[in-house]
Amino acid sequence: MISGARSIDPTILREYDIRGIVDASLTTEDVRALGRAFGSIVVRGGGKTVAVGYDGRTSSPRLEAALVEGLVATGLVVHRIGLGPTPMLYFAVHHLGADGGMMITGSHNPPDYNGIKITFQGRPFFGEDIQHLGRLAAAGDFVAGAGRTEDHPVAEAYVERLVQDFEGGKPLTVAWDAGNGAAGDVLRMLSKRLPGRHVLINEVVDGTFPAHHPDPTVEENLQQLKQVVAEQRCDLGIAFDGDGDRIGVVDARGRVLWGDQLLVILAESVLADLPGATIIADVKASQVFFDEVARMGGRPLMSRTGHSLIKNLMAETGAPLAGEMSGHVFFADRYYGYDDALYAAVRLLSVVGGSDISLADMRDAMPVMVNTPELRIDCPEERKFSVVDEVRGRLKNTNGVTVQEVDGVRVASEDGWWLLRASNTQAVLVGRCEAADDAGLRRLITELDRQLRLSGVGPTAFG
Ligand SMILES: [Zn+2]
């Protein structure tokens, strides 16, 4: 084997990032080799600098050190920004003018996981890019050079940039739950710079996640935040995932605002400044999002699910705002177009602070739909795409439905719509159903289950 070559476990080379179990599928040696491989891509592309950050997991400092060693060995200058949320790394890439960025993070996964998120030349680095990285590491196809490191803490500049777009309004009482994730330190700095009263919980970075799992799309992880909102009579509560690129929001009555609902509220203020703008949501979003954006004079656009795909679609269409059900929110309006939950929080507080009505009232002003959460149906990896193809084929001969094929099938009928798509990252089919009433929802779930059974999978947990 060539010196430093390292065959990487293929299961950790995922669609949007690298992620594995530390010291099992993802070792320090793997990370060093991936650093050399990515450094070689940057150097061959004419680049000179890479920014590197890491999250609050216990394994992150040593994985960061190995990554930096690998990058330096290719001749690059490595800007080490230290511990912080993933969007702070994205900010550092812009702020320092780096050619690429690498973030050691396991996002919201259990404590024994870790991984790497990557940007290169201002674009997401994903899909085939990540496969290519794995091949370079396995072949030991590395550039050799003598680089160096520079320490570049950017937390103060980052917070300054976040605060810059805060628009004031009435002072609010806000509960914040950092989930012991990587955003804690920055959150403490940010909240001191905002008016109103701020109640912080789980803001101490702790990679064992003692309070709850740092994933705000799972409602039980928002229990503690809801309690604080009630006890402290807050106007709203805001939670972050483990690396601060996804947001969760609850209103003063403790009700969750899901990603698509949050996007409607943010879209209203963006469209006030940019009438007719394109606003993007992923294929799992409620019909309410598409109807409300159109009603407000915007152009709603449905995207495939996946944060890298959404970033690319934003760049192509010039959309100033996009979001996913998963809580990724991307602002290109006045900002850089990446997913930053802290920035989304600042913009949300501007909207709520500047409004005559509460966030709870904004939520109540939206049409009410009944819908399922994201339904996850186990399906063998080699079958997941063909099942969707089979369903699509059968629907061609079905009257009374329209099929959108943005990502899998989204099937609209009199009752509402249902979705079936193959997960990009797991051996899972993802479904969702939404209707105007319970009876309609039941019919949609029945139809989805019928289609799944015809292909020998399912039914959904609701079947
Ligand atoms: Zn995340």
Side-chain angles (χ1 to χ4, degrees):
M1 219 188 221
I2 296 159
S3 161
R6 183 97 192 152
S7 73
I8 306 295
D9 184 330
T11 64
I12 75 166
L13 300 170
R14 296 157 23 107
E15 181 66 14
Y16 303 118
D17 52 30
I18 293 161
R19 193 180 297 162
I21 297 171
V22 177
D23 297 332
S25 57
L26 177 69
T27 67
T28 310
E29 282 309 311
D30 293 337
V31 172
R32 186 178 289 110
L34 290 165
R36 289 181 73 179
F38 182 67
S40 301
I41 290 172
V42 174
V43 170
R44 285 173 184 147
K48 293 186 167 51
T49 58
V50 169
V52 174
Y54 63 92
D55 74 8
R57 286 163 190 270
T58 52
S59 60
S60 291
R62 70 179 159 96
L63 295 183
E64 188 261 2
L67 185 69
V68 169
E69 277 173 28
L71 289 164
V72 166
T74 65
L76 289 169
V77 177
V78 179
H79 299 305
R80 302 175 86 164
I81 67 159
L83 169 64
T86 295
M88 186 170 94
L89 182 270
Y90 297 151
F91 169 78
V93 169
H94 286 270
H95 186 66
L96 303 169
D99 299 299
M102 296 186 99
M103 178 77 192
I104 295 286
T105 177
S107 190
H108 59 278
N109 285 77
D112 52 335
Y113 280 75
N114 216 326
I116 313 174
K117 291 183 181 174
I118 306 171
T119 67
F120 180 44
Q121 294 176 337
R123 287 189 298 275
F125 186 92
F126 72 111
E128 172 54 27
D129 300 328
I130 289 176
Q131 297 303 316
H132 177 57
L133 196 66
R135 288 194 294 272
L136 289 185
D141 182 5
F142 303 136
V143 173
R148 63 189 161 83
T149 66
E150 288 179 10
D151 287 337
H152 271 288
V154 295
E156 278 180 29
Y158 174 55
V159 170
E160 199 59 47
R161 181 63 189 84
L162 294 174
V163 172
Q164 186 187 314
D165 286 354
F166 179 69
E167 288 171 326
K170 60 179 185 283
L172 300 168
T173 301
V174 186
W176 302 83
D177 185 352
N180 300 106
D185 295 341
V186 170
L187 174 59
R188 222 178 283 129
M189 295 163 68
L190 174 65
S191 61
K192 284 194 183 115
R193 298 284 306 276
L194 298 171
R197 192 162 70 87
H198 299 274
V199 185
L200 274 55
I201 57 172
N202 307 320
E203 77 279 20
V204 178
V205 178
D206 182 340
T208 66
F209 307 119
H212 58 75
H213 208 57
D215 181 355
T217 52
V218 177
E219 191 154 1
E220 68 175 65
N221 296 330
L222 297 170
Q223 269 325 109
Q224 204 189 347
L225 182 66
K226 289 180 187 180
Q227 205 178 333
V228 174
V229 166
E231 284 167 5
Q232 304 275 336
R233 299 183 164 278
C234 297
D235 294 294
L236 72 161
I238 296 173
F240 301 123
D241 80 333
D243 66 330
D245 60 0
R246 295 192 295 124
I247 189 171
V249 176
V250 300
D251 70 14
R253 292 169 55 189
R255 298 173 304 178
V256 178
L257 277 95
W258 299 108
D260 46 2
Q261 295 172 314
L262 180 61
L263 204 53
V264 169
I265 288 165
L266 295 170
E268 185 167 9
S269 77
V270 170
L271 289 168
D273 291 338
L274 301 167
T278 299
I279 314 286
I280 298 172
D282 75 313
V283 71
K284 287 182 258 179
S286 168
Q287 188 59 37
V288 171
F289 164 81
F290 300 96
D291 293 346
E292 287 292 284
V293 168
R295 186 185 61 76
M296 296 185 290
R299 292 161 44 121
L301 182 63
M302 192 183 286
S303 167
R304 292 174 64 195
T305 290
H307 60 94
S308 303
L309 300 169
I310 289 202
K311 273 181 246 194
N312 282 348
L313 188 60
M314 280 184 94
E316 277 166 36
T317 59
L321 175 65
E324 278 192 305
M325 285 303 288
S326 57
H328 289 279
V329 179
F330 313 75
F331 273 95
D333 169 44
R334 293 187 266 154
Y335 205 56
Y336 310 98
Y338 53 71
D339 38 344
D340 184 336
L342 291 117
Y343 185 78
V346 167
R347 295 289 293 257
L348 178 65
L349 294 182
S350 300
V351 171
V352 177
S355 173
D356 300 333
I357 64 168
S358 68
L359 183 64
D361 289 342
M362 291 179 201
R363 186 184 188 281
D364 288 336
M366 283 184 226
V368 179
M369 294 289 204
V370 287
N371 41 40
T372 66
E374 184 172 301
L375 306 167
R376 303 177 73 75
I377 305 125
D378 290 332
C379 178
E381 184 67 29
E382 63 279 8
R383 275 287 284 150
K384 66 183 188 184
F385 289 103
S386 55
V387 167
V388 175
D389 287 340
E390 288 163 22
V391 171
R392 185 187 289 117
R394 286 193 290 268
L395 290 167
K396 287 234 155 66
N397 307 312
T398 307
N399 291 327
V401 300
T402 45
V403 182
Q404 277 177 299
E405 300 182 20
V406 171
D407 186 353
V409 287
R410 180 163 160 146
V411 186
S413 66
E414 254 185 354
D415 283 321
W417 59 271
W418 57 271
L419 170 78
L420 185 70
R421 58 179 288 273
S423 166
N424 289 318
T425 52
Q426 288 167 295
V428 157
L429 291 165
V430 177
R432 199 181 184 213
C433 308
E434 178 180 79
D437 57 40
D438 289 331
L441 188 66
R442 178 50 50 196
R443 284 190 290 273
L444 294 175
I445 294 169
T446 302
E447 173 59 12
L448 171 57
D449 280 335
R450 191 178 74 85
Q451 290 290 347
L452 288 169
R453 283 203 190 87
L454 285 170
S455 286
V457 290
T460 65
F462 282 61

